[in-house]
Every structure is written in C-alpha cells, then in structure tokens.
Amino acid sequence: MKLSTTIRYGTRLMLDMAEQQGKGPIRIKTIAKRQGISEKYLEKIVRLLRKAGLVDGLRGPGGGYILSIPPEKITLADILEAVQGKVELCPCLDEPENCEKHDDCKTRKIWNDINQIIWIKLKGISLADLRDSACPSEDDLQDDTAALMKGIKFD
C-alpha cells in the first residue's frame, strides 16, 4: 500500500504550518519553497484543507494561511480524509454491495482488521505529536516496526 502524493504533501504542508504557528499567516509560496513542492500543487491541497475546516485563509497584505484548529486537535486521519477522503485497503470494505464475493470472502476480515489498525494509528497521532517528534534514524524505524509487530495478533 502506498500513500498518494497528495496525502504526503498535505501532511507536509500542515506540519510546516504547525511548525510556524504563532508567527502569523503563511503564504503558500513560502511553504512551497521550504518544502520543495510545486506552488500550484499546494494551492490545490490547501483548498481541500480549507473545505474540511482545518485551515483558514486571510486575504490582503500580510495574508496567507493559518491552522483553524490547534495542532493538538488535528490528527493524521483528519488530514488524510480532508485531502483524499477515507482510504480503504479494498473497495469492498466501504462498499460491500459492489463486490459479488463479499458474503463469502475469506480475506475480507483480514483486510478490515488491517484497515482498522491503520485508522486507529492515524487517529492517535496529532499534528502536534508530529511537530514535536524527532526525525527517526533507519535503526529507529526498524526497532519500532519490530516492537509493533510483536504486539499485533490477528484472529
């Protein structure tokens, strides 16, 4: 499973705004330059974030964008849903009526379980958590994955 570029860039945009919080509105041009992302792409994403109520736009001189909710109350799930909608591992999890095998599919439960684990994790990480974290080393990532796998039991 891969996250879309829109999700990854939307998260980077929101993280940049959280890191600059309290310094006034931020222009998309400034974020684009800092993040190395196309200004046009970020404008598309910020419209989705505004529509979801996560970001406010201020017009005029000194205008730009600010978080409309404190970073402690914005989760990674909120960002993902704002820019792409709810993502399911398999279409049958969200729309079982569109799958002729949903009543007798032996794999559907495992995909649902994995999907729920992902959403629980995304809902448990706030933008503030991300802002206040350190960049992990490769060894840290491997250690975290090993620890996580020990705690997962599939029925």
Side-chain angles (χ1 to χ4, degrees):
M1 177 176 132
K2 280 190 173 185
L3 295 176
S4 71
T5 301
T6 305
I7 292 170
R8 291 182 292 110
Y9 286 4
T11 303
R12 286 172 53 188
L13 179 139
M14 293 292 284
L15 179 56
D16 190 291
M17 292 177 71
E19 290 172 338
Q20 302 302 316
Q21 189 179 24
K23 297 179 182 176
I26 307 165
R27 295 190 180 278
I28 289 297
K29 183 178 190 173
T30 305
I31 296 171
K33 187 173 183 178
R34 260 197 306 259
Q35 295 298 321
I37 300 172
S38 153
E39 200 173 325
K40 277 195 177 290
Y41 205 141
L42 288 183
E43 286 170 355
K44 176 186 138 190
I45 294 170
V46 84
R47 280 193 297 273
L48 297 170
L49 294 166
R50 280 186 76 183
K51 186 176 179 183
L54 299 177
V55 171
D56 285 327
L58 304 169
R59 295 179 183 256
Y65 294 94
I66 58 170
L67 296 177
S68 58
I69 300 171
E72 295 78 16
K73 296 188 179 197
I74 299 172
T75 68
L76 290 182
D78 296 330
I79 298 167
L80 193 145
E81 286 183 298
V83 300
Q84 190 161 321
K86 187 151 184 181
V87 176
E88 303 285 355
L89 287 176
C90 297
C92 67
L93 297 177
D94 194 36
E95 300 172 347
E97 65 278 0
N98 291 337
C99 178
E100 61 189 49
K101 295 196 172 276
H102 81 272
D103 284 331
D104 61 349
C105 178
K106 293 183 178 184
T107 61
R108 190 164 176 246
K109 182 179 180 338
I110 193 67
W111 301 139
N112 184 65
D113 290 351
I114 293 168
N115 202 71
Q116 293 305 311
I117 290 167
I118 291 168
W119 279 100
I120 289 167
K121 185 72 173 173
L122 290 171
K123 287 178 181 180
I125 301 170
S126 74
L127 195 53
D129 294 334
L130 198 56
R131 176 197 64 203
D132 299 339
S133 67
C135 293
S137 69
E138 289 302 313
D139 288 340
D140 291 339
L141 290 175
Q142 289 176 1
D143 292 345
D144 288 349
T145 300
L148 180 64
M149 294 307 291
K150 285 181 185 177
I152 295 177
K153 182 179 186 270
F154 296 102
D155 297 328

